[in-house]
Every structure is written in C-alpha cells, then in structure tokens.
Amino acid sequence: MFTIEHDFDATVVTLIDEGEAPLQEDVTINAFEDCVTLEQYDARLDKVQKITFSLSQLQELAAALDLPEGVYKLRPVEQPD
C-alpha cells in the first residue's frame, strides 16, 4: 500500500509494508525540484535515516533497475534537428 500527497514544495510518497511479518518501517519519498530524499525510521537508533539523491543519481537508479551487471554511464540523448 502507498500514499501520495502533493505539498507546497514536494510530492510525498509513503510506502507501507504489508503482508507477512517481519514488516519493515514505512519509507517516505520526498520529490523536490532539485533532489529526492528517502526516509525510514531506524528503531535500533531511534531516529529517521535520510538518503538524498540528486536528479542525475535518480535517473541512473531508474536505468540500473533494467540493466544486467556491469559498469554504465548514461549519455544525453541527442535530439534530431
């Protein structure tokens, strides 16, 4: 299950783990104009852990999900004149 909210400065998606135990804490994704953050509560440390992706890192992650093992570098697609 997930939720989507549109705030003033970001789109917020929350992923809620459902199903068989053990369940993981919710993951909150904040999509800003210049970056995307992932947040998840860490019960061991009793705090929220945050990871920040630049937009280029996010594009690379999206591409990586569909590729086999290897080392890759994305190149801009040239637009025809």
Side-chain angles (χ1 to χ4, degrees), residues 40-70:
Q40 186 177 44
Y41 176 72
D42 185 336
R44 295 171 296 157
L45 300 174
D46 192 30
K47 70 178 194 174
V48 173
Q49 299 289 340
K50 181 189 279 191
I51 298 172
T52 302
F53 290 92
S54 68
L55 296 181
S56 62
Q57 287 175 312
L58 194 62
Q59 286 178 318
E60 290 174 349
L61 174 60
L65 294 175
D66 293 328
L67 294 169
E69 281 186 56

Side-chain angles (χ1 to χ4, degrees), residues 75-81:
R75 290 184 277 176
V77 176
E78 296 197 21
Q79 301 295 325
D81 292 327

Side-chain angles (χ1 to χ4, degrees), residues 12 20 42-43:
V12 180
E20 302 294 318
D42 185 336

